[in-house]
Amino acid sequence: MKTLHTDVAVIGAGTAGLAAYRAARAAGKRALMIEGGPFGTTCARVGCMPSKLLIAAAEAAHSAAHTAPFGVHVDGTIRVNGREVMDRVRRERDRFVGFVLEGVENIPAEDKIPGYAKFVSDTVLRVDDAYEIQASSIVIATGSRPSVPPPFLALGDRLVVNDDVFNWEDLPKSVAVFGPGVIGLELGQALARLGVTVRVFGVSGSLGGLSDPAVRQRARRTFQEEFYLDPDARVLSTTRVGDQVEVRYVALDNTERTEVFDYALVATGRRPNVDQLGLENTSVVRDARGVPEFDRHTMQSGASSIFIAGDANADVPLLHEAADEGRIAGRNAALFPQIEPGLRRAQLGVVFSDPQIALVGASYARLPKNGYVTGEVDFGDQGRSRVMLKNKGMLHVYAEIGTGRFLGAEMIGPAAEHIGHLLAWAVQQDLTIAQMLDMPFYHPVVEEGLRTALRDAAAQLERHGSQAALRTAA
């Protein structure tokens, strides 16, 4: 066994791991990066980018099929060639992965250690019985993997997760989707728009991460107009029958139905990759899931020399958060024991469904009880949205009574990815509703709907006597 010495050892070469390695090197320290699987990021391989490629194809098909209301008539049948769709998805996915790999190739070969690492102690790692790495500090950036409930495992190769979808060579005829979270909702709607028979089943009414009951209900009704969706489904059984999956369930009309599908796409969440790291040999305190407890501003676990970043810590599993966390963890691992808090940006989440969903700042579920007002806009009659026939959805903005400070928002509607960014900037700058209304709003744009919601919030704040709401823009 070869013994290596380094200042910082980074376990994992995904988004967080690459950021941690670079931050440690930028701080002037030696760093090693350990990776047991293929190099590249979850986003490029099986996440953000290939899913958006599938969604783009679905949007093209949907748009082509819905031109008549504009007086534009497409003669003939709109045909989706599944092989061509998936060929582009795979080609472009590989291109994005290639960009990541180019960056990895620029890392010195001696800094890249192949194999799976396990802790021997807080400062010692063993890699596949080939290396022993002694490090002053260690960053865990091992990512996550799909979590599949045991009852689905009997479905064998008829069970797929999002990782599998992007390797399809052709589109199937039918798919049952379990889990209407971000992944299930995006892929379920995309497949339905590409001509695949889709049924989406959820539990407890959850949908796209929304916690505001009114916004969630609007989202539910909107999606149900397009494809079968039951966020609070009663699935009686899922059984492998030949090369198909038989699903027995109670439908929305309260009748029992049995249908067969080519695949069951299980999108019921992801599990942090920390269970095989030998964390029991360290001093870190772990939660019920086995994830090390940590400070989200320094990424440090307790007072130890171990830091954790990205999906592995199960905090905010998003690429931009993983990159930020990796930088913070890598820098603090290099500076240890003199660590310092890093910049944590305002929370922002987007679901690339149609209409899109955006979650900004404090969610409805985290608002202070009786200490806020809700401003609302319904996009049904919003000018630009109606012009484009994208007039579906609603936006709720939340403001603090007394200060008028903008707290957060939940939204389903057009241009949610862009409005979400504006609102995230407002949260991070700690703006009040009045200050936001002082900003320019062009005409006619979808963002005028945001102004309507802000004006609604300002009126309610004024009724509560909030001093910050007394000065509002015209």
Side-chain angles (χ1 to χ4, degrees), residues 118-156:
K118 284 195 173 184
F119 283 90
V120 176
S121 69
D122 281 12
T123 57
V124 178
L125 296 170
R126 186 162 293 161
V127 182
D128 287 349
D129 294 325
Y131 300 92
E132 181 174 279
I133 297 176
Q134 299 181 3
S136 299
S137 55
I138 296 171
V139 177
I140 300 170
T142 46
S144 64
R145 63 186 185 273
S147 177
V148 179
F152 288 108
L153 298 177
L155 300 178

Side-chain angles (χ1 to χ4, degrees), residues 116-421:
Y116 292 93
K118 284 195 173 184
F119 283 90
V120 176
S121 69
D122 281 12
T123 57
V124 178
L125 296 170
R126 186 162 293 161
V127 182
D128 287 349
D129 294 325
Y131 300 92
E132 181 174 279
I133 297 176
Q134 299 181 3
S136 299
S137 55
I138 296 171
V139 177
I140 300 170
T142 46
S144 64
R145 63 186 185 273
S147 177
V148 179
F152 288 108
L153 298 177
L155 300 178
D157 63 1
R158 297 297 94 186
L159 159 68
V160 294
V161 295
N162 63 292
D163 301 33
D164 304 314
V165 168
F166 307 118
N167 287 322
W168 282 344
E169 293 186 356
D170 199 353
L171 292 170
K173 292 182 179 179
S174 57
V175 175
V177 179
F178 295 92
V182 176
I183 295 172
L185 194 56
E186 288 184 351
L187 296 185
Q189 184 181 44
L191 291 171
R193 288 185 165 187
L194 289 167
V196 178
T197 298
V198 170
R199 305 283 184 268
V200 181
F201 304 101
V203 293
S204 304
S206 62
L207 182 60
L210 293 165
S211 64
D212 187 312
V215 180
R216 186 169 56 200
Q217 181 61 22
R218 178 65 61 86
R220 176 176 181 160
R221 291 201 309 267
T222 301
F223 293 127
Q224 284 175 336
E225 292 174 0
E226 185 176 336
F227 58 94
Y228 185 92
L229 166 68
D230 187 353
D232 194 15
R234 285 180 287 167
V235 177
L236 305 176
S237 65
T238 55
T239 311
R240 172 78 177 257
V241 179
D243 285 334
Q244 291 185 304
V245 176
E246 180 184 272
V247 180
R248 192 164 59 90
Y249 63 99
V250 178
L252 293 168
D253 60 6
N254 213 34
T255 62
E256 184 176 319
R257 297 184 187 178
T258 300
E259 289 188 86
V260 292
F261 302 88
D262 291 332
Y263 292 102
L265 170 57
V266 179
T268 51
R270 295 183 69 86
R271 178 181 180 181
N273 292 326
V274 296
D275 50 318
Q276 302 296 317
L277 292 176
L279 289 169
E280 65 274 9
N281 299 321
T282 70
S283 66
V284 302
V285 177
R286 291 171 287 160
D287 63 20
R289 301 165 297 178
V291 178
E293 295 180 356
F294 70 101
D295 183 327
R296 70 186 310 270
H297 296 285
T298 65
M299 314 315 296
Q300 183 183 25
S301 182
S304 75
S305 58
I306 297 173
F307 301 79
I308 185 166
D311 288 10
N313 65 35
D315 184 22
V316 188
L318 298 169
L319 179 135
H320 65 279
E321 295 282 359
D324 285 349
E325 290 177 6
R327 283 192 292 271
I328 296 168
R331 176 172 172 76
N332 279 332
L335 297 176
F336 181 81
Q338 282 79 37
I339 64 171
E340 56 189 31
L343 171 64
R344 295 309 304 264
R345 303 174 209 264
Q347 291 202 6
L348 168 64
V350 177
V351 183
F352 290 87
S353 52
D354 182 18
Q356 293 178 339
I357 291 171
L359 309 165
V360 179
S363 66
Y364 175 88
R366 291 172 43 218
L367 292 171
K369 189 176 181 180
N370 300 323
Y372 68 94
V373 298
T374 300
E376 177 180 304
V377 64
D378 187 318
F379 284 99
D381 288 323
Q382 199 278 320
R384 181 68 187 281
S385 303
R386 192 169 182 85
V387 164
M388 299 184 296
L389 288 180
K390 296 285 187 181
N391 53 321
K392 292 183 178 181
M394 69 188 307
L395 164 65
H396 276 184
V397 297
Y398 315 118
E400 186 175 54
I401 294 173
T403 66
R405 186 168 61 95
F406 173 61
L407 299 175
E410 295 196 17
M411 169 186 180
I412 175 172
E417 61 181 291
H418 305 299
I419 292 176
H421 275 84

